[in-house]
Amino acid sequence: MKVTIAYIDGEEQTAGVIQRFVEGLLPKVRIHQSDNNPPYKHIYLTTKKPHKPSDGAANS
């Protein structure tokens, strides 16, 4: 899953609240921040796909 938060100066506090909320919902979130596209700043939150159990584990 990928979540992107785009915000401008003055919205940092709201973006931080949303980031912490998503971190609490999703396990092992990877976070990347970027400000390469002024005036916008971005926070990228990514997770890995859920691990699919092997067939052998299902038969146990």
Side-chain angles (χ1 to χ4, degrees), residues 16-34:
V17 169
I18 294 168
Q19 176 184 342
R20 288 187 296 278
F21 179 75
V22 172
E23 286 178 303
L25 290 175
L26 302 173
K28 298 182 182 179
V29 175
R30 183 175 158 224
I31 302 168
H32 173 75
Q33 297 184 350
S34 172

Side-chain angles (χ1 to χ4, degrees), residues 7-55:
Y7 62 98
I8 57 173
D9 288 336
E11 297 178 330
E12 291 93 351
Q13 185 175 6
T14 304
V17 169
I18 294 168
Q19 176 184 342
R20 288 187 296 278
F21 179 75
V22 172
E23 286 178 303
L25 290 175
L26 302 173
K28 298 182 182 179
V29 175
R30 183 175 158 224
I31 302 168
H32 173 75
Q33 297 184 350
S34 172
D35 58 358
N36 292 337
N37 300 314
Y40 300 101
K41 297 180 182 180
H42 295 87
I43 300 173
Y44 302 98
L45 304 143
T46 57
T47 62
K48 292 185 177 183
K49 289 184 178 181
H51 178 35
K52 184 176 180 180
S54 64
D55 292 335

